[in-house]
Amino acid sequence: MSKIAPFLISFLFAAHAAQAEELHFCYDPYPPYTLGTYGPASSGLKVALLEAVTARIENLTATVTLLPWKRCQQQARDGTIDGVLPLFPNPERAEYMAFTDATFDEQSVLWHRPDQFPGGFVWDGSFGSISHLRLGMLTGSYVDEGMETAFESQQGITRARDIQTLMELLVLGRVDLVATDAAVGRHILEKAGWQDKAQRMATPVASRTSHFGLSKASGASRHLEDFNRAIAALHAEGAIAAILSGE
């Protein structure tokens, strides 16, 4: 037994080393991408996407904590958090995060009431053709500079603190259009039972690809290739589209 014991000890140490590493991600509360209040995320489309990616990477798991957006960014910068759920890259963020390949397109669209255009309306993408209408947007949000300039020069822009309030203003006729993320707008309408009271224009205002951000300071950026391989496989199988559609 004295000869076997050292082998068993080495085996146990190796098994322990092979246990799954847990990465800690953050985002802010943003239904349907993340569901829950500040603290552990209960679920959400981007949470499900992270779970699908890490399920493809051996010995890797992940958790998500919902934080105020600026704090989430700062913790990724200083390495107390390992990554951020899919977001838009920019030069500042690239200084402290390594970005994966694209996960999916996040579209900003315009929502309107069906009774506004009873004869039908196909938007040509020109803001000049609709800038006479009253536009609603989130306070502090950015969608498209040209759109904001066009509407500010006409009726101005009504700002609200949350999407629920914006959609309610639309349904009540206080604004004519709402500019917001397509998935977010759809989620709010379904949750409130307003699916028949508002619909989106087919042409998006803007479309940007989102990417996982892996913290350089925490060392999570070393998993970049693993994340990219998993994302490529999920795209090839149509799994990411299924997740985003709620299937």
Side-chain angles (χ1 to χ4, degrees), residues 12-22 58-61:
L12 291 173
F13 273 114
H16 178 74
Q19 288 181 353
E21 176 186 359
E22 186 175 73
E58 188 175 0
N59 296 325
L60 193 69
T61 62

Side-chain angles (χ1 to χ4, degrees), residues 3-246:
K3 294 182 179 179
I4 298 176
F7 170 77
L8 289 176
I9 293 173
S10 298
F11 176 80
L12 291 173
F13 273 114
H16 178 74
Q19 288 181 353
E21 176 186 359
E22 186 175 73
L23 297 181
H24 301 284
F25 280 72
C26 66
Y27 209 73
D28 62 347
Y30 193 35
Y33 293 124
T34 52
L35 303 178
T37 56
Y38 293 129
S42 59
S43 58
L45 299 180
K46 290 188 178 183
V47 177
L49 180 55
L50 175 63
E51 292 171 349
V53 168
T54 54
R56 294 299 187 100
I57 304 174
E58 188 175 0
N59 296 325
L60 193 69
T61 62
T63 61
V64 179
T65 300
L66 300 182
L67 300 171
W69 188 238
K70 288 185 178 180
R71 187 187 305 174
C72 175
Q73 298 291 300
Q74 183 57 47
Q75 291 196 8
R77 184 190 296 273
D78 61 31
T80 55
I81 205 86
D82 294 304
V84 181
L85 294 181
L87 73 166
F88 307 129
N90 61 33
E92 179 186 357
R93 293 170 180 172
E95 292 179 1
Y96 57 89
M97 287 190 290
F99 286 99
T100 66
D101 292 339
T103 56
F104 66 98
D105 290 338
E106 294 190 41
Q107 292 189 344
S108 295
V109 301
L110 291 170
W111 298 86
H112 66 90
R113 296 184 310 280
D115 60 4
Q116 288 177 281
F117 308 109
F121 177 77
V122 178
W123 182 44
D124 61 4
S126 166
F127 298 122
S129 65
I130 56 174
S131 60
H132 62 284
L133 300 172
R134 298 166 298 172
L135 176 67
M137 293 182 64
L138 275 178
T139 300
S141 70
Y142 171 82
V143 175
D144 182 272
E145 184 177 356
M147 179 189 72
E148 294 189 34
T149 299
F151 280 91
E152 287 286 11
S153 66
Q154 296 290 326
Q155 298 287 342
I157 298 175
T158 299
R159 299 278 181 173
R161 66 183 183 278
D162 56 63
I163 299 294
Q164 175 75 30
T165 301
L166 271 180
M167 287 304 194
E168 187 171 357
L169 291 175
L170 178 63
V171 169
L172 293 175
R174 301 281 298 278
V175 298
D176 302 308
L177 301 170
V178 164
T180 190
D181 179 273
V184 174
R186 183 176 65 249
H187 172 77
I188 292 298
L189 292 173
E190 291 174 352
K191 183 179 178 181
W194 294 337
Q195 299 95 317
D196 62 338
K197 298 183 182 298
Q199 63 187 43
R200 57 162 288 183
M201 291 185 178
T203 302
V205 176
S207 181
R208 292 184 288 175
T209 58
S210 59
H211 310 244
F212 284 104
L214 302 177
S215 171
K216 295 178 180 179
S218 78
S221 55
R222 69 185 183 279
H223 294 293
L224 183 63
E225 291 186 5
D226 292 330
F227 266 69
N228 285 340
R229 280 193 292 268
I231 290 168
L234 291 168
H235 273 305
E237 296 172 5
I240 290 180
I243 289 171
L244 296 174
S245 67

